[in-house]
Amino acid sequence: MANSISSVLKSFPPPKAIGSTALGDYHQCRRKYGLLLEHQARESSGALAIGIAVHEGLRAWAFKKDEEAAIVRAFEELKDRRDKAELEVVTSGLMFRYFEQYNNDRYKPVSTETELFIDTPYGVKYRATPDLVVDRHDGLWAVDYKTTSRTPETFFRSYPMKSQMKGHVYAARTVLNLPVKGVIVDALYKNEKYKFQRLELTFTQDELDQWWLETCQAIKDIVAAHTVGEFYAKDGDHCWMHGAPCPFWTYCTSEFEPMVLKTTHIKRKVPLWKQVSRREGK
């Protein structure tokens, strides 16, 4: 049973391009990365749908500062949802708050490229997806819109996020040949109703060069994992994150080999989040 999942996933070739999200999944747990690749899509939750709608609406607003047109563009992303009416209320509320907070922004979008690809020596490209590249009074910046339920401190120091921001700058300089200074991150915190927080990140060229070496090594490892079907589960640290179990919890533990918690050394017959609640007396 130990190789059941790996034998299934071995038939999947490496993707043609890998972005920061996939690299983050692989960094957390190879099995999670492989299962996400097999399923080809993440769970389409209401929160994710809102995030996508807000992204597209704000990109549209950045060009013309037309609030009505931006709302219409955001709603296009929700038109096929059964919970459309409910999500539209939240989406419009978030966007109007953004308009209020950042209406005085004075920058001009100079690039609408949403996907930038960089070749690696391993037959797989790295994909960067900045929302915008803009010209501000102090130079060129990439812009990235984020939604998260984590605290600002936790969110901004997380591996996938920091890696992604470096990728935006590196790709803009390499692919677009633009002297981008850094990234403006506009993050929506879901636990603070209708509130955004802005962070400006800059990186030295040495930091970016080191990031690229590490990224190429990670892609090399992923290609090798596909070759041998090596998609083993990591330790239990990432089976429960941000208040919920991994979406593949049941698939990973019931049909295949039982895994052992590093901290409790018991078989996971009960989801980790429930085990934690019971230990805490909840």
Side-chain angles (χ1 to χ4, degrees), residues 63-115:
F63 283 90
K64 296 183 178 180
K65 295 297 190 291
D66 186 329
E67 296 180 3
E68 183 177 350
I71 295 292
V72 170
R73 176 64 188 90
F75 284 1
E76 288 177 5
E77 298 296 321
L78 304 173
K79 62 183 179 181
D80 297 324
R81 300 274 313 192
R82 286 179 294 180
D83 49 357
K84 171 184 173 182
E86 177 184 350
L87 297 186
E88 285 182 345
V89 171
V90 178
T91 297
S92 59
L94 293 172
M95 292 184 64
F96 279 123
R97 176 53 62 89
Y98 186 91
F99 300 153
E100 292 174 5
Q101 285 187 232
Y102 300 121
N103 191 50
N104 292 326
D105 278 345
R106 294 293 180 265
Y107 53 62
K108 177 184 178 181
V110 297
S111 173
T112 60
E113 295 290 335
T114 55
E115 289 190 317

Side-chain angles (χ1 to χ4, degrees), residues 1-257:
M1 280 292 189
N3 295 319
S4 298
I5 294 180
S6 292
S7 62
V8 172
L9 296 177
K10 187 177 180 180
S11 62
F12 288 88
K16 294 180 179 180
I18 294 177
S20 64
T21 301
L23 288 173
D25 292 332
Y26 187 81
H27 177 76
Q28 290 177 1
C29 176
R30 291 188 176 189
R31 179 167 295 172
K32 178 182 178 182
Y33 161 85
L35 290 172
L36 284 168
L37 181 65
E38 180 192 18
H39 286 260
Q40 293 295 312
R42 295 174 178 271
E43 290 185 311
S44 182
S45 65
L48 178 59
I50 290 170
I52 293 172
V54 169
H55 270 67
E56 293 304 317
L58 293 181
R59 287 185 74 249
W61 180 76
F63 283 90
K64 296 183 178 180
K65 295 297 190 291
D66 186 329
E67 296 180 3
E68 183 177 350
I71 295 292
V72 170
R73 176 64 188 90
F75 284 1
E76 288 177 5
E77 298 296 321
L78 304 173
K79 62 183 179 181
D80 297 324
R81 300 274 313 192
R82 286 179 294 180
D83 49 357
K84 171 184 173 182
E86 177 184 350
L87 297 186
E88 285 182 345
V89 171
V90 178
T91 297
S92 59
L94 293 172
M95 292 184 64
F96 279 123
R97 176 53 62 89
Y98 186 91
F99 300 153
E100 292 174 5
Q101 285 187 232
Y102 300 121
N103 191 50
N104 292 326
D105 278 345
R106 294 293 180 265
Y107 53 62
K108 177 184 178 181
V110 297
S111 173
T112 60
E113 295 290 335
T114 55
E115 289 190 317
L116 306 176
F117 296 94
I118 309 173
D119 290 325
T120 73
Y122 310 109
V124 175
K125 298 177 184 292
Y126 176 80
R127 180 180 62 249
T129 55
D131 290 311
L132 294 168
V133 176
V134 301
D135 188 359
R136 201 170 66 169
H137 63 88
D138 57 348
L140 298 176
W141 293 77
V143 176
D144 202 70
Y145 304 115
K146 291 293 182 186
T147 56
T148 178
S149 59
R150 287 177 282 172
T151 63
E153 295 78 16
T154 301
F155 175 69
F156 285 127
R157 69 168 177 258
S158 66
Y159 165 83
M161 185 270 181
K162 190 174 293 185
S163 175
Q164 184 183 44
M165 298 304 106
K166 291 178 181 177
H168 290 346
V169 178
Y170 190 89
R173 293 182 182 180
T174 304
V175 180
L176 300 178
N177 198 28
L178 295 174
V180 172
K181 293 182 62 174
V183 185
I184 299 171
V185 186
D186 286 332
L188 161 67
Y189 296 101
K190 300 172 188 175
N191 57 342
E192 297 183 30
K193 189 176 181 182
Y194 301 166
K195 184 174 182 180
F196 286 82
Q197 181 168 328
R198 173 167 289 180
L199 181 70
E200 297 181 3
L201 299 171
T202 58
F203 307 104
T204 66
Q205 190 58 49
D206 286 344
E207 288 177 316
L208 295 177
D209 291 341
Q210 181 61 34
W211 166 84
W212 181 239
L213 290 174
E214 293 171 355
T215 297
C216 285
Q217 182 60 52
I219 290 175
K220 179 182 179 181
D221 292 345
I222 288 175
V223 172
H226 278 275
T227 302
V228 299
E230 210 173 71
F231 293 99
Y232 55 80
K234 207 171 181 181
D235 57 51
D237 291 346
H238 294 96
C239 293
W240 180 58
M241 295 180 67
H242 316 309
C246 170
F248 298 108
W249 168 264
T250 303
Y251 185 38
C252 191
T253 58
S254 62
E255 187 175 350
F256 302 97
E257 78 273 22

